[in-house]
C-alpha cells in the first residue's frame, strides 16, 4: 500500500507534459486546417490577379507550395509552438490543480470557465474568428481534460515538491530573458546567435520559409498587400477616377466571376 502511494506521488512531469502535448496536438490539427484553407483562398486570389496580368506577391513560383500539404503543416507549427503551448501549459496546470483539490469534474469545469472566457475574449478582441475560437477551445479543453484524467488526487506536499523542481528552471530562464528584453532582442538573437552557425541558419530559414502562411490567416483587409477587385453593374465601365483611386490603394480589377476581396456596384 505504501509503495503504491509513492508510485502515485511520482511522475508529475511526465503526466503534465503529456497533457500539454495533447493540447498542442489538438492545436496543430486545427491550425493545419486553418492554414490550408487560407492557402487555397490566397492561391485563388493570386491566380485571378496573375490571369489579369498583374505581378503578384506571392508570385507564381510559390503557387505550388500553396497547393501542398507540407506548407500548412509546417505553417501550423507556429500556432502550435506559441498559442498551443501556452494554452496547453495554462490549462494543464488548471486541470492538475482541480484534481489535486479533489473537485468533481463538473466543479472543475466551472472553476476553469472564467479563465477560458478570458482567453476567448482576447482571441476575439479584434473581431470574432471561428478558426481562432475553435483552436483556443481545442487546445485548452484537451489539455485540461487530459491533465484532470492523469492527475492523482491528494498528496499535495510530495507533488508540490516535484512541481517546484519542474518549474524552477523555467522561472529562472524566463527571469533571465526578462532582464535582457528590448525591442531589438529578437533581431539580436537572429543576427548574433542564429546566423553564426549552420543549425541556427537552418532555424532562421525555416522561420522565413513558413511564417507567411499562418500570418495570412489573421491579416485584416488593410494588412493584405493586394486586393482583387471585381466590378458588377457598371454599364460603361468603372469611372476612371474611381479605378485610379482604387489602384493607388492596391485594389486591382479582375475578371467577372473571379474571387475578389472587394466587389464594386453602382
Amino acid at each position: 500500500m505504501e509503495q503504491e502511494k509513492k508510485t502515485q506521488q511520482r511522475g508529475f512531469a511526465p503526466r503534465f507534459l503529456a497533457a500539454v502535448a495533447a493540447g498542442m496536438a489538438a492545436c496543430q490539427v486545427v491550425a493545419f486546417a486553418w492554414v490550408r484553407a487560407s492557402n487555397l483562398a490566397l492561391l485563388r486570389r493570386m491566380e485571378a490577379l496573375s490571369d489579369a496580368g498583374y505581378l503578384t506577391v506571392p508570385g507564381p513560383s510559390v503557387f505550388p507550395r500553396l497547393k501542398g500539404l507540407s506548407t500548412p503543416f509546417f505553417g501550423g507549427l507556429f500556432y502550435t509552438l506559441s498559442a498551443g503551448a501556452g494554452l496547453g501549459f495554462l490549462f494543464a496546470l488548471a486541470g492538475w490543480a482541480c484534481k489535486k483539490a479533489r473537485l468533481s469534474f463538473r466543479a472543475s469545469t466551472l472553476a476553469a470557465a472564467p479563465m477560458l472566457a478570458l482567453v476567448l475574449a482576447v482571441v476575439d478582441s479584434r473581431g470574432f474568428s471561428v478558426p481562432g475560437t475553435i483552436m483556443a477551445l481545442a487546445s485548452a479543453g484537451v489539455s485540461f481534460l487530459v491533465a484532470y484524467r492523469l492527475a492523482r488526487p491528494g498528496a499535495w506536499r510530495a507533488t508540490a515538491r516535484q512541481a517546484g523542481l519542474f518549474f524552477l528552471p523555467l522561472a529562472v530562464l524566463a527571469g533571465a530573458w526578462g532582464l535582457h528584453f528590448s525591442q531589438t532582442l529578437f533581431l539580436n538573437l537572429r543576427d548574433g546567435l542564429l546566423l553564426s552557425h549552420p543549425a541556427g541558419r537552418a532555424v532562421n530559414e525555416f522561420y522565413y520559409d513558413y511564417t507567411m502562411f499562418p500570418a495570412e490567416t489573421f491579416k485584416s483587409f488593410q494588412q493584405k498587400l493586394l486586393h482583387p477587385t471585381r466590378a458588377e453593374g457598371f454599364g460603361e465601365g468603372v469611372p476612371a477616377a474611381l479605378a485610379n483611386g482604387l489602384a493607388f490603394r492596391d485594389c486591382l480589377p479582375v475578371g467577372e466571376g473571379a474571387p475578389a476581396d472587394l466587389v464594386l456596384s453602382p
Side-chain angles (χ1 to χ4, degrees), residues 1-115:
M1 187 71 178
E2 186 67 24
Q3 181 63 32
E4 182 180 352
K5 184 177 179 180
K6 290 181 179 179
T7 301
Q8 291 182 353
Q9 291 175 357
R10 291 196 296 266
F12 165 79
R15 291 190 176 102
F16 182 79
L17 290 175
V20 175
M24 292 175 68
C27 181
Q28 176 65 16
V29 171
V30 180
F32 173 85
W34 190 7
V35 178
R36 170 71 172 163
S38 173
N39 285 353
L40 295 178
L42 177 62
L43 174 63
R44 289 191 293 269
R45 291 168 48 238
M46 293 302 103
E47 284 181 333
L49 287 173
S50 182
D51 292 342
Y54 297 105
L55 177 65
T56 63
V57 179
S61 63
V62 181
F63 290 176
R65 298 184 65 190
L66 293 171
K67 299 177 184 178
L69 298 179
S70 62
T71 300
F73 177 82
F74 290 116
L77 283 177
F78 289 95
Y79 276 118
T80 301
L81 297 175
S82 53
L87 291 174
F89 193 94
L90 182 64
F91 282 87
L93 190 60
W96 168 80
C98 289
K99 187 66 170 286
K100 284 294 179 182
R102 297 183 183 275
L103 296 179
S104 67
F105 181 73
R106 183 177 181 180
S108 298
T109 54
L110 290 175
M115 187 166 63

Side-chain angles (χ1 to χ4, degrees), residues 178-201:
L179 293 175
H180 297 279
F181 188 80
S182 68
Q183 291 183 341
T184 61
L185 173 64
F186 297 104
L187 292 177
N188 293 338
L189 279 174
R190 182 196 65 185
D191 298 342
L193 179 63
L194 293 181
L195 297 181
S196 63
H197 54 87
R201 288 193 290 272

Side-chain angles (χ1 to χ4, degrees), residues 246-259:
L246 289 169
F248 183 75
R249 292 164 177 79
D250 300 313
C251 297
L252 307 175
V254 293
E256 184 177 351

